[in-house]
Amino acid sequence: MKPSRSAFLKSLLLLSMCILFWGNTIPTERQDAKAVRRYLYVATPGIRNYLEYGGHGLLVYDMDDHYRLVKRIPTAGLDADGKPLNVKGICASMATNSIYISTIQTLQCIDLTTEKIKWERKYDEGCDRMAISPDGKTIYLPTFEKEYWSVVDAATGDVKQKIVLNSGAHNTIFGLNGKEVYLAGLRSPYLTVVNAQKPTETRQVGPFSASIRPFTVNGKQTLCYVNVNELLGFEIGDLRTGKMLHRVEVSGFQKGPVKRHACPSHGVGLTPDEKEVWVVDGANQHVHFFDATVMPSRQIGSLPLRDQPGWITFSLDGKHAFPSTGEIIDVTTHKIIATLKDENGQGVHSEKVIEIQFNGQKPVKSGDQFGLGRVR
């Protein structure tokens, strides 16, 4: 028995409605997923003022296309003779739609959408590796290894307050909860913790066995992992009690001369899932892996790199690691899967890199220049 014409038309209408329904849902969801693109922003010169490691500017790599170089954004940061200054730090804020780059003399703010420089400020005592608050309002800007940190308005670059520690201001981390800031100086074995709401309220963690160099903290902000002078490895501190807990040395490798930083290990980071802590080894041109789920952390492997590393950080999803030597490392396999190159095919190296994610033309999420733990 053949279906009636009316029944056929009803079936056809129902089928059309289903196609329209699915066409307005599934493809849209897929497009939204595809619309979010991940980019690695690399500030150069990010190894001192050495232009052979990537020239001058902000190089942008497509993380979803095998780290293909997309563009070079012009930046400021020149000395009186027009020569590029050492880049010292990088951070970004979705609240201000901006990326910030510090040099040994200046801090500049670049709009992430227009890619134009909003402002550049020069500071009397110079600049070092800064950090921005999660709400995008405040930057803690260390002077260039001098006596104090400046509390800076992220919208204008104006200095609102100074925190004087006389420690050789250097590395700075803003806790993920926005409540505490961590300040490490080149001339102090103590890590200073600042109350972000009341910057005059501070406390100290340590002493560690020597002056603190790069460091990182876990997502709950209960532990810190610090490099110190003369140590191939790292030390662990309790951010709650203020006590140093453990000293962890790299085994199977010997300390040796390094080209930069005068420190055997200048770079330490937690994978975002906090299962591993990675530490760099300048003299032996390696990165070493440790199991962070046990205390003290236990060494589980090593990987050779193409040059002496001086930094390490990770992608937000924890799948890739970014040593300053420009390799891209698969965190699960501990294998190199790509290397950063410039327009001429030359290797790019930088200690100042950050991931930024875009939905269309809008930046929606950013990582951090430090290898922060993100388990909260």
Side-chain angles (χ1 to χ4, degrees):
M1 181 177 178
K2 294 182 179 180
S4 67
R5 179 179 176 82
S6 60
F8 173 76
L9 290 175
K10 287 181 180 179
S11 298
L12 184 62
L13 177 61
L14 180 60
L15 177 62
S16 299
M17 291 177 65
C18 289
I19 292 173
L20 181 62
F21 173 78
W22 288 109
N24 286 335
T25 55
I26 292 179
T28 301
E29 291 173 359
R30 287 175 179 170
Q31 287 172 2
D32 287 345
K34 290 181 179 179
V36 176
R37 301 287 295 185
R38 304 176 304 146
Y39 297 93
L40 186 66
Y41 280 64
V42 180
T44 58
I47 306 293
R48 292 186 175 171
N49 61 348
Y50 301 157
L51 297 178
E52 62 267 31
Y53 287 133
H56 177 232
L58 188 57
L59 284 71
V60 182
Y61 294 87
D62 189 339
M63 296 172 62
D64 299 311
D65 189 12
H66 308 290
Y67 290 88
R68 174 181 59 86
L69 177 62
V70 176
K71 56 190 168 184
R72 179 188 294 267
I73 301 172
T75 56
L78 304 176
D79 65 14
D81 297 323
K83 296 179 180 179
L85 294 162
N86 310 36
V87 172
K88 297 300 292 182
I90 188 170
C91 61
S93 170
M94 302 305 94
T96 62
N97 196 57
S98 300
I99 189 167
Y100 302 83
I101 300 173
S102 65
T103 70
I104 58 175
Q105 296 179 7
T106 64
L107 177 65
Q108 60 187 292
C109 173
I110 300 173
D111 189 286
L112 279 168
T113 301
T114 67
E115 299 176 353
K116 302 297 183 182
I117 297 171
K118 292 182 178 181
W119 51 261
E120 183 184 27
R121 301 288 295 269
K122 185 174 182 179
Y123 298 86
D124 292 338
E125 299 295 331
C127 309
D128 217 309
R129 197 180 288 266
M130 71 296 195
I132 192 166
S133 59
D135 64 11
K137 295 181 178 179
T138 305
I139 292 174
Y140 275 66
L141 178 68
T143 52
F144 187 37
E145 303 173 11
K146 298 295 196 305
E147 287 70 33
Y148 64 89
W149 273 257
S150 296
V151 182
V152 172
D153 185 329
T156 64
D158 293 340
V159 176
K160 300 187 293 184
Q161 190 175 348
K162 293 181 179 179
I163 301 173
V164 181
L165 298 178
N166 296 307
S167 62
H170 196 43
N171 288 312
T172 317
I173 289 177
F174 222 114
L176 295 179
N177 65 11
K179 296 180 180 180
E180 294 181 323
V181 193
Y182 304 93
L183 315 180
L186 285 172
R187 298 191 297 273
S188 175
Y190 288 93
L191 179 66
T192 297
V193 184
V194 178
N195 182 335
Q197 303 303 314
K198 299 178 180 179
T200 55
E201 292 185 6
T202 65
R203 57 187 176 86
Q204 292 187 319
V205 180
F208 294 92
S209 63
S211 293
I212 299 174
R213 307 305 299 275
F215 69 101
T216 191
V217 299
N218 66 344
K220 293 181 180 179
Q221 296 169 223
T222 57
L223 295 171
C224 61
Y225 298 76
V226 307
N227 292 139
V228 297
N229 283 336
E230 303 303 324
L231 173 62
L232 180 56
F234 55 92
E235 295 179 344
I236 305 173
D238 190 319
L239 293 173
R240 297 165 299 186
T241 66
K243 303 295 184 182
M244 173 182 159
L245 299 177
H246 302 285
R247 179 181 174 92
V248 182
E249 298 185 17
V250 172
S251 62
F253 294 81
Q254 299 297 317
K255 291 190 297 183
V258 292
K259 293 188 288 187
R260 295 174 291 272
H261 301 301
C263 185
S265 288
H266 189 277
V268 62
L270 281 166
T271 55
D273 63 8
E274 300 182 10
K275 292 183 178 180
E276 293 182 2
V277 55
W278 292 28
V279 63
V280 305
D281 176 349
N284 299 293
Q285 296 188 187
H286 272 69
V287 59
H288 306 290
F289 318 113
F290 289 78
D291 182 352
T293 66
V294 296
M295 190 66 73
S297 305
R298 177 179 58 85
Q299 189 170 340
I300 55 177
S302 302
L303 180 70
L305 302 174
R306 63 181 178 180
D307 202 340
Q308 292 195 7
W311 202 261
I312 186 77
T313 187
F314 299 90
S315 60
L316 280 166
D317 63 10
K319 293 182 178 180
H320 295 162
F322 311 125
S324 59
T325 43
E327 293 94 341
I328 310 301
I329 304 172
D330 184 290
V331 170
T332 301
T333 64
H334 294 166
K335 293 182 178 180
I336 296 169
I337 59 172
T339 54
L340 300 180
K341 297 179 180 179
D342 66 10
E343 305 92 329
N344 302 312
Q346 299 297 311
V348 171
H349 302 218
S350 180
E351 297 175 358
K352 293 84 187 182
V353 307
I354 188 171
E355 176 185 346
I356 300 179
Q357 298 181 2
F358 284 77
N359 191 332
Q361 298 297 313
K362 180 180 175 57
V364 293
K365 195 173 185 180
S366 66
D368 195 274
Q369 61 187 326
F370 287 85
L372 300 178
R374 295 183 177 272
V375 178
R376 301 173 65 185

